[in-house]
Amino acid sequence: MLNFKNINRITLVLFIGLLIISVFISISVFVFILVFTGWLIFTIIGSFNITWNYHLDAYNFNKTCNKKQVAITFDDGPNTEFTPQILDLLEAYHAKATFFCIGKHIEQQPKLVQQIIEEGHTIGNHTYSHSEIFDFYGKQKVIDEIETTNALVASIINKEMILFRPPYGVTNPAITKAIKHTKHKVIGWNIRSLDTVKDNEQNILNRITKNITPGAVILLHDSQNITVRVLEQLLLFLQENNYQSVTVDTLFNIEAYA
Ligand SMILES: [Zn+2]
């Protein structure tokens, strides 16, 4: 498996091998630069693709799922305008979903958190600040972000969340260490709708529906209008094709709370 640990090992062996060989024959410095560049490319792509399981093992897709089930997930809420519309649609189609909420939004919308839970959906941790520079935070700062958000939700629903989704799906060694400490399970996805990219409704919907298979995890955002319109079409598609939308904990048969 080409994960961070193995790439580091391979790179180290290559460097040592090259150094030994260079005692006997001259090796251009560019060969060393090439090896380092290979390491860098793998690490950058692996960090940006949660589906690679490069830094940590995330729940991205349940390949053993033998029922026509998928998990719809919403990031970045709760949102006063769009989350209630999404909850209404889910209820109308008897669908369950998972909401990865941001701590600072939870502080402003505690009632929405309560409503999400009461309607049978799952809530997960999506950090407190969702900072653009989150990926540069050290282990302790990541732990603080996760624990602050967990405490906020615990004060509302009396449960400790154990599902976590890193902002932008980016992972790195600091997040790996933090998760080990907080014992959260990391949830990724295997269908990225790209609903936050400027695009039309039909293209976003097609990106999802063409990839639907049993066990799929779909990434959406309950922070914008277009997602509400896409969701309605998606729920219709799932209904017509006899698919059921369940929470991620149901899909993977794991616990969502401690
Ligand atoms: Zn996010």
Side-chain angles (χ1 to χ4, degrees), residues 75-76 102 126 130 166-168 221:
D75 286 11
D76 299 357
I102 298 174
H126 197 41
H130 201 285
Y168 319 105
H221 295 81

Side-chain angles (χ1 to χ4, degrees), residues 8 23 43 49 67 69 71-72 77 79 85-86 104 112 115 119 132 140 159 182 185 195 197-198 221 224 228 237:
N8 286 347
V23 175
T43 300
N49 285 281
K67 291 180 200 153
Q69 288 184 334
I72 302 177
N79 180 290
Q85 294 179 43
I86 282 169
K104 63 181 182 187
L112 275 177
Q115 193 185 342
E119 296 187 5
E132 283 171 9
Q140 193 50 49
K159 290 177 184 176
T182 62
K185 293 185 170 90
D195 59 340
V197 174
K198 222 171 186 225
H221 295 81
Q224 51 192 5
V228 180
F237 173 89

Side-chain angles (χ1 to χ4, degrees), residues 46-51 75 126 165-171 189 192:
S47 301
F48 278 90
N49 285 281
I50 198 159
T51 49
D75 286 11
H126 197 41
R165 177 173 277 165
Y168 319 105
V170 175
T171 53
W189 56 76
R192 191 169 203 167

Side-chain angles (χ1 to χ4, degrees), residues 8 23 104 110 122 130 148 150 181 215 243 251:
N8 286 347
V23 175
K104 63 181 182 187
T122 293
H130 201 285
T148 306
N150 254 48
H181 175 85
Y243 270 95
L251 188 76

Side-chain angles (χ1 to χ4, degrees), residues 72-207:
I72 302 177
T73 66
F74 298 97
D75 286 11
D76 299 357
N79 180 290
T80 170
E81 192 177 352
F82 306 116
T83 308
Q85 294 179 43
I86 282 169
L87 287 172
D88 286 349
L89 277 174
L90 293 171
E91 195 179 13
Y93 284 86
H94 309 290
K96 299 296 176 212
T98 306
F99 293 80
F100 289 95
C101 297
I102 298 174
K104 63 181 182 187
H105 294 168
I106 293 167
E107 263 175 346
Q108 292 158 354
Q109 301 298 330
K111 284 212 169 102
L112 275 177
V113 171
Q114 212 154 18
Q115 193 185 342
I116 289 169
I117 296 296
E118 278 167 8
E119 296 187 5
H121 308 293
T122 293
I123 186 163
N125 191 321
H126 197 41
T127 74
Y128 177 79
S129 68
H130 201 285
S131 166
E132 283 171 9
I133 53 160
F134 186 81
D135 307 314
F136 298 100
Y137 284 3
K139 176 189 164 189
Q140 193 50 49
K141 222 168 168 190
V142 175
I143 292 173
D144 292 346
E145 287 260 343
I146 292 173
E147 289 185 341
T148 306
T149 307
N150 254 48
L152 279 167
V153 169
S155 72
I156 302 166
I157 65 166
N158 219 7
K159 290 177 184 176
E160 283 289 335
M161 296 182 287
I162 47 177
L163 304 183
F164 172 72
R165 177 173 277 165
Y168 319 105
V170 175
T171 53
N172 60 35
I175 295 175
T176 308
K177 286 178 204 150
I179 292 303
K180 228 179 192 171
H181 175 85
T182 62
K183 297 188 171 54
H184 278 71
K185 293 185 170 90
V186 176
I187 309 293
W189 56 76
N190 74 319
I191 301 180
R192 191 169 203 167
S193 64
L194 298 176
D195 59 340
T196 51
V197 174
K198 222 171 186 225
D199 202 349
N200 69 52
E201 209 175 305
Q202 197 55 47
N203 286 349
I204 296 170
L205 183 69
N206 288 348
R207 263 196 295 274

